[in-house]
Amino acid sequence: MFKNRYLLIFLLAATASFGQIGGKYTYQFLNLVTSPRQAALGGKLVTLYDYDVNQAIYNPATINPEMSNQLSANYGSYFGEVTYGTAAYAYTYDRHVQTFHMGVNYVNYGDFEGYDEMGTKTGTFSGSEIALSFGYAYNIPYTDIHIGANAKLISSTLESYNSIGAAVDIGGIYIDEDNDINIGLAVRNIGTQLTTYAGTNEPLPLEVIAGISQEVENVPIRWHVTLENLQQWNIAFSNPNRATEDLEGNVTKEKVSFFNNALRHVILGAELFPGKSFNIRAGYNFRRSAELSITDKRSFSGISAGFSVRFNKLRFDYSYSRYTLAASTSLFGVMINLQ
């Protein structure tokens, strides 16, 4: 039974985030959802605490012995020629030292045609970015609270420009085994550029995420509620396609209400038969729906779904995410138990 104290803990975790001044960020690929399970459940979950070695990339506090000797690789095609993916592995040294986690996150932007200021073709160029991470989690003695951190080294190459950066993720998760409730909080991409592209230091895409999930008693389903971008309250913008014009030519911009802006922080997800050999997943991202849906057309933006199948020590994951009428993404993943 869901008790008031869990709701209170969750709300306190959400309000503990701080404001972030808006601006442009570098290394935006760090916030791509590259795990099929994450993508199918709407993205950015911080409360999965099980075998899934990919989860530690989003919340290092979820690193646990059940991930030990799990090796995963994920691949997806974004838009155009852009491809991206991750690989992750965890190893438990012993019950005292507990579990270490290693991960890699990359994106390849494909080939582009280059032109000079006179419009003369100069040849083709490409771009790619990669981040290597090393993580560790620790169970606070005599509590159900786990804390963890990832250290990341980032490399970015865009045409002839290069940049190197460093960042850390910190996270925490509270596990209530009696009620099958998990409450998580993660602060991601705290860091800086070590070398810049052209002499200008740019901030990293810091993000604060909180979440809660519960496996329902007597029903084989786990629901998830995630609050994203808590470092900045106002994340809405007026869509010019939704502006109205009266008979006198006066244009009225779309007004985003308090409730509408609040919803854009929310991601919902559900997993049927969690932990079984076969499970089905679905999610809904309110922000993606609000920003990418087309006026007067049903595009189903924000909806995602997927499934997982396990054959002995091999698990296959797939997800489909709807962005617009013209663009959707699929992610494929394989996880191998090396034990």
Side-chain angles (χ1 to χ4, degrees):
M1 181 178 178
F2 187 90
K3 299 181 179 179
N4 291 334
R5 61 191 177 106
Y6 300 119
L7 179 60
L8 178 61
I9 293 173
F10 179 63
L11 293 175
L12 287 175
T15 56
S17 61
F18 50 90
Q20 174 74 19
I21 298 174
K24 296 182 179 180
Y25 306 99
T26 189
Y27 310 142
Q28 290 279 6
F29 79 103
L30 294 173
N31 284 337
L32 283 176
V33 179
T34 53
S35 159
R37 188 182 186 190
Q38 283 270 345
L41 293 170
K44 302 184 179 181
L45 273 72
V46 293
T47 55
L48 293 172
Y49 193 86
D50 54 23
Y51 65 88
D52 191 349
V53 70
N54 298 298
Q55 174 61 19
I57 295 175
Y58 303 92
N59 183 0
T62 61
I63 299 172
N64 66 87
E66 196 174 346
M67 295 180 180
S68 183
N69 275 316
Q70 300 286 341
L71 174 65
S72 74
N74 309 297
Y75 174 83
S77 177
Y78 207 42
F79 304 123
E81 297 181 1
V82 180
T83 59
Y84 64 109
T86 58
Y89 175 74
Y91 179 74
T92 302
Y93 184 76
D94 60 32
R95 297 186 64 87
H96 176 70
V97 179
Q98 296 185 13
T99 307
F100 296 94
H101 180 274
M102 293 160 284
V104 58
N105 182 12
Y106 81 93
V107 59
N108 188 313
Y109 297 111
D111 295 324
F112 300 86
E113 293 184 353
Y115 296 85
D116 62 18
E117 63 274 13
M118 302 302 295
T120 303
K121 188 174 180 179
T122 59
T124 61
F125 64 93
S126 62
S128 62
E129 298 180 286
I130 187 170
L132 303 176
S133 66
F134 181 82
Y136 178 75
Y138 179 72
N139 178 207
I140 299 177
Y142 310 109
T143 74
D144 297 315
I145 299 174
H146 303 254
I147 56 175
N150 283 330
K152 296 187 287 191
L153 180 64
I154 308 157
S155 176
S156 175
T157 301
L158 304 175
E159 205 257 340
S160 60
Y161 299 92
N162 299 278
S163 176
I164 296 176
V168 297
D169 305 330
I170 57 175
I173 188 168
Y174 172 75
I175 308 293
D176 181 358
E177 295 183 356
D178 294 334
N179 297 282
D180 287 321
I181 294 175
N182 298 347
I183 300 173
L185 176 68
V187 183
R188 305 185 68 243
N189 307 321
I190 307 169
T192 186
Q193 286 181 296
L194 302 178
T195 63
T196 64
Y197 295 105
T200 301
N201 196 288
E202 302 171 85
L204 273 64
L206 182 143
E207 183 174 17
V208 180
I209 309 170
I212 184 171
S213 68
Q214 181 186 32
E215 186 168 345
V216 182
E217 188 176 2
N218 300 323
V219 179
I221 189 171
R222 173 172 284 275
W223 56 262
H224 304 265
V225 178
T226 302
L227 301 180
E228 63 166 332
N229 286 296
L230 294 178
Q231 79 285 350
Q232 180 176 321
W233 163 246
N234 186 9
I235 58 174
F237 68 94
S238 298
N239 190 331
N241 291 324
R242 295 172 186 164
T244 58
E245 183 176 355
D246 60 23
L247 297 176
E248 298 179 355
N250 298 315
V251 177
T252 302
K253 295 182 178 180
E254 177 194 22
K255 293 183 179 180
V256 180
S257 66
F258 177 92
F259 181 71
N260 189 301
N261 182 72
L263 274 181
R264 297 188 189 205
H265 289 275
V266 179
I267 300 172
L268 302 179
E271 191 169 21
L272 187 63
F273 309 119
K276 301 297 182 181
S277 297
F278 174 77
N279 56 63
I280 300 172
R281 303 150 180 165
Y284 188 75
N285 188 308
F286 283 90
R287 184 183 185 190
R288 188 184 303 161
S289 174
E291 294 181 352
L292 300 180
S293 60
I294 299 176
T295 306
D296 300 327
K297 285 190 177 181
R298 184 174 295 176
S299 62
F300 299 101
S301 299
I303 292 177
S304 57
F307 65 88
S308 174
V309 181
R310 188 186 69 197
F311 302 98
N312 295 322
K313 293 187 176 184
L314 180 67
R315 182 183 292 271
F316 174 79
D317 292 275
Y318 170 78
S319 69
Y320 173 86
S321 302
R322 185 69 166 176
Y323 284 82
T324 68
L325 284 173
S328 302
T329 64
S330 292
L331 271 170
F332 303 86
V334 175
M335 190 177 304
I336 304 172
N337 185 350
L338 300 178
Q339 291 182 343

